Amino acid sequence: MLNNARDDFNYARRFEQLTHLLSEHKTLWQFATFNQADLPWREAYPELCNWLDSQSVTDLLSEDSQTRIGQFLPFVSQIEALTQLDDFTLDCLTPSENNDSAVFTSVPVHFSHGIGGRKWQQINAFFAALGPAQQAESYLEWCAGMGHLGRLVALKTASSVLSLEWQQALCDKGSTLAQKANVQQDFVCDDALRAQSATHLAGKNCAVALHACGDLHTALLRAAGEVKTPHVVISPCCYHLTRDARYLGLSQFCQANLFQYGLEIDKDDLKLAVKQVATAGAREQDLRELELTYRLGFDTWLRETLNADNYIPLSSVKKSQLNQGFEAFCQWAAQQKKQTFDANAEQIAHYLAIGEQRRVLLARLEAVRSCFRRAMELWLVLDRALFMHEQGYQVEVGTFCSGQLTPRNFMLRATRKQKARTQ
């Protein structure tokens, strides 16, 4: 059994509990949502399906996933563990509820210009939760963009920061901002996925990455483990943005669990971990539902036209186009697929009605599937924690801000263990 420095907080045990939970109930979350013609649990959970049939889309969308789990418990009591996920991690890693004021102290007024309010708050919360890594003498900011996080780190710690970013234009803008802020921050234009990018970690005491996506943050963990970087602090994001078609597991412990429980996870499954978005306004939510209706109605026409069995995705559409109605949307979508949409008024009404029916079904499917979203994300974060433990790090997992500020609020703090001195 793998033990963390805190004996009362065993990540391996919790990870295996989550693996078992996800494996036992994979029929409730592991399915192609857009390819379902009905709720796939009619036989296994008939009472649950009957209850879902009685719920409107508005009712299902108005409740958060934690509330829905409580509503589902009378029908699927075994998923009660989903209500106890907070017990699987440490408490919030942020030093105090009022950490924002502490971070903002001595930060120039102009410092946050050009940074969205929500992003600026995330950056401040991330810095406040760095813990022992705030004492580092030098930092590498991974996937830096314009280096907003690195600039704050350089200002607050008076340490040097090297910000790695693959777009030269962002490096140039970041360098200008660093000069204006009069901080020790340099930029290097390089691809984080290049094997040689690990060389930028040489001599750095700490590596930080706020919302580095998929393979980008796993590349950092691997590189840091190889060169034995003293501190690594990341907030992972977009786990599905990976070159691997199937999730292989980062840690040896995860790989063994996947084999033991016969759990196979692909990219579509990984998308579940990032399904939740920040609270949307009523207008935005209405447009989303209208777009879904249009997409699903058109998909039915396209499948019949092409004699296809699976959902055929479309590129993004401007929300303003939705105001032109379903027929105009279908004309646009057909052009994207190099087809001619020549349906008459009766057929258009028919496909629109089917789109509305499928949208309702989708809401019911997602209501159940979304209950496993946080479990899937935590499972992925713990895999990364176990990997760093295997590389010789003491690891902490927790949240660095509220879910309202960003749904991607998990943080992993890894500190290289010091070998005991021989007498």
Side-chain angles (χ1 to χ4, degrees):
M1 183 63 74
L2 186 63
N3 290 308
N4 187 266
R6 293 180 53 146
D7 293 335
D8 62 337
F9 203 75
N10 192 302
Y11 292 129
R13 177 171 58 83
R14 284 156 173 75
F15 182 84
E16 188 162 6
Q17 289 173 339
L18 281 174
T19 307
H20 179 262
L21 178 69
L22 291 170
S23 178
E24 283 290 295
H25 302 290
K26 58 187 177 184
T27 57
L28 292 174
W29 62 268
Q30 196 173 51
F31 53 84
T33 310
F34 287 96
N35 289 337
Q36 304 303 310
D38 191 11
L39 298 175
W41 322 293
R42 291 288 179 192
E43 293 186 10
Y45 303 106
E47 293 181 348
L48 171 64
C49 293
N50 290 338
W51 182 84
L52 287 168
D53 288 340
S54 69
Q55 302 301 300
S56 69
V57 172
T58 302
D59 291 337
L60 293 173
L61 292 177
S62 63
E63 303 290 356
D64 60 34
S65 60
Q66 286 300 306
T67 301
R68 282 195 294 271
I69 294 171
Q71 294 173 326
F72 297 160
L73 286 180
F75 316 115
V76 194
S77 60
Q78 304 95 321
I79 64 171
E80 184 175 6
L82 293 175
T83 66
Q84 303 162 355
L85 292 180
D86 287 346
D87 297 336
F88 283 64
T89 63
L90 293 172
D91 292 333
C92 180
L93 295 175
T94 303
S96 71
E97 293 181 359
N98 299 317
N99 66 291
D100 283 349
S101 60
V103 178
F104 278 118
T105 301
S106 75
V107 175
V109 176
H110 63 79
F111 200 87
S112 62
H113 288 177
I115 309 175
R118 189 183 294 270
K119 187 64 178 179
W120 176 232
Q121 293 176 64
Q122 293 170 20
I123 290 170
N124 277 274
F126 186 92
F127 174 80
L130 282 179
Q134 286 189 1
Q135 307 305 315
E137 296 178 357
S138 59
Y139 296 81
L140 175 67
E141 181 188 14
W142 194 260
C143 302
M146 286 190 283
H148 297 315
L149 170 63
R151 197 163 70 257
L152 179 64
V153 170
L155 178 73
K156 295 298 295 180
T157 65
S159 299
S160 64
V161 175
L162 178 63
S163 296
L164 183 149
E165 168 57 41
W166 74 278
Q167 296 185 67
Q168 186 63 57
L170 296 183
C171 290
D172 294 341
K173 292 178 181 177
S175 294
T176 300
L177 291 171
Q179 291 171 9
K180 289 182 178 179
N182 194 28
V183 295
Q184 299 181 70
Q185 182 184 24
D186 295 313
F187 281 77
V188 57
C189 185
D190 201 355
D191 183 354
L193 294 180
R194 250 184 11 109
Q196 292 84 348
S197 64
T199 60
H200 300 300
L201 283 163
K204 300 297 184 294
N205 302 118
C206 179
V208 295
L210 172 58
H211 294 158
C213 295
D215 285 344
L216 294 173
H217 72 253
T218 57
L220 171 59
L221 296 181
R222 288 191 174 98
E226 288 177 7
V227 302
K228 299 178 174 54
T229 303
H231 297 280
V232 183
V233 186
I234 69 167
S235 175
C237 189
C238 300
Y239 308 88
H240 60 288
L241 296 182
T242 173
R243 288 171 290 193
D244 297 323
R246 184 165 60 89
Y247 190 73
L248 304 176
L250 199 63
S251 66
Q252 294 178 10
F253 194 83
C254 175
Q255 294 163 13
N257 265 233
L258 287 170
F259 178 79
Q260 178 182 349
Y261 289 94
L263 189 59
E264 294 188 0
I265 296 175
D266 62 21
K267 285 187 179 183
D268 284 337
D269 297 327
L270 293 177
K271 289 179 182 178
L272 172 61
V274 294
K275 276 285 187 179
Q276 182 185 359
V277 296
T279 305
R283 172 62 177 165
E284 185 179 349
Q285 186 64 56
D286 289 343
L287 284 173
R288 178 181 179 275
E289 292 304 305
L290 181 62
E291 181 179 348
L292 268 177
T293 300
Y294 285 4
R295 284 179 177 270
L296 293 169
F298 173 78
D299 177 66
T300 302
W301 173 85
L302 187 59
R303 286 203 216 186
E304 292 178 0
T305 300
L306 301 179
N307 195 26
D309 295 326
N310 297 321
Y311 176 76
I312 304 173
L314 289 168
S315 56
S316 299
V317 61
K318 294 181 179 179
K319 294 296 185 279
S320 57
Q321 287 183 237
L322 301 177
N323 297 327
Q324 299 174 26
F326 180 58
E327 182 178 4
F329 175 88
C330 290
Q331 296 287 0
W332 167 83
Q335 290 177 6
Q336 306 301 307
K337 298 300 178 182
K338 295 181 171 52
Q339 300 293 318
T340 300
F341 184 76
D342 54 1
N344 58 38
E346 184 178 352
Q347 291 170 324
I348 291 171
H350 167 73
Y351 289 118
L352 178 59
I354 291 179
E356 292 172 343
Q357 293 169 6
R358 290 182 63 185
R359 178 179 64 90
V360 173
L361 173 63
L362 186 68
R364 291 168 181 163
L365 289 165
E366 284 297 329
V368 175
R369 192 168 188 254
S370 65
C371 292
F372 292 84
R373 190 207 62 77
R374 193 66 166 174
M376 173 61 78
E377 184 175 15
L378 178 55
W379 184 85
L380 291 165
V381 173
L382 288 180
D383 178 28
R384 284 142 181 79
L386 290 167
F387 172 79
M388 293 305 286
H389 190 285
E390 292 170 356
Q391 303 306 305
Y393 286 80
Q394 178 181 329
V395 186
E396 294 176 293
V397 171
T399 56
F400 70 95
C401 66
S402 72
Q404 292 298 314
L405 188 54
T406 171
R408 306 284 78 73
N409 65 344
F410 276 126
M411 173 181 272
L412 184 155
R413 296 195 309 212
T415 302
R416 188 81 187 172
K417 293 179 181 178
Q418 299 295 320
K419 290 185 178 179
R421 295 182 178 179
T422 56
Q423 299 295 327

